[in-house]
Amino acid sequence: RKHVREYVMRAQMFIKGLEDRGSIIRQVALCLLEEQEQYLRTEQEEDMRPITQAQVAGFLRVHESTVSRAVADKYLQLPSGKVVPFSYFFDRALSHRRLVAN
């Protein structure tokens, strides 16, 4: 009996972990939708606002590493159908590219 309870408890913890990760991914996606609304409408690079994982973590009140792990190897489909990695929105060089372009 003890053995079965232990496995049930481990399975419940695993499921909770999956649910938590799904929740964080959803929250990050919603945050990006809000912050990049103009870009998502036009998909013009000049409409993209620079944002970091640290800023998103601050908005969500979680650690930056939580955001980093949650978005690693995850993708979003843009309204145009183009599929991009979450990291596309966290390009640290975006503001620098804009300065060089001007």
Side-chain angles (χ1 to χ4, degrees):
R1 232 180 235 218
K2 181 179 176 184
H3 184 68
V4 171
R5 277 191 217 139
E6 183 179 318
Y7 277 103
V8 168
M9 185 174 70
R10 289 172 65 189
Q12 289 171 335
M13 287 174 46
F14 178 76
I15 291 169
K16 182 177 180 340
L18 289 176
E19 290 170 346
D20 289 348
R21 181 64 56 95
S23 174
I24 288 293
I25 292 170
R26 223 175 351 272
Q27 289 175 24
V28 170
L30 290 172
C31 182
L32 289 174
L33 286 172
E34 187 175 304
E35 291 297 312
Q36 302 294 356
E37 183 177 356
Q38 183 62 33
Y39 169 76
L40 293 170
R41 287 184 186 179
T42 65
E43 292 189 31
Q44 299 294 317
E45 180 135 346
E46 59 269 9
D47 290 330
M48 186 175 281
R49 297 175 57 192
I51 190 166
T52 65
Q53 289 182 2
Q55 289 171 311
V56 171
F59 294 148
L60 301 178
R61 295 188 175 122
V62 297
H63 194 274
E64 183 179 354
S65 66
T66 302
V67 173
S68 177
R69 285 191 314 271
V71 302
D73 301 320
K74 306 294 186 308
Y75 296 83
L76 288 173
Q77 185 172 10
L78 301 178
S80 67
K82 180 180 175 183
V83 176
V84 297
F86 266 94
S87 61
Y88 178 78
F89 295 98
F90 301 116
D91 187 357
R92 294 178 188 266
L94 178 64
S95 57
H96 300 294
R97 281 200 317 258
R98 282 189 183 159
L99 289 173
V100 170
N102 292 333

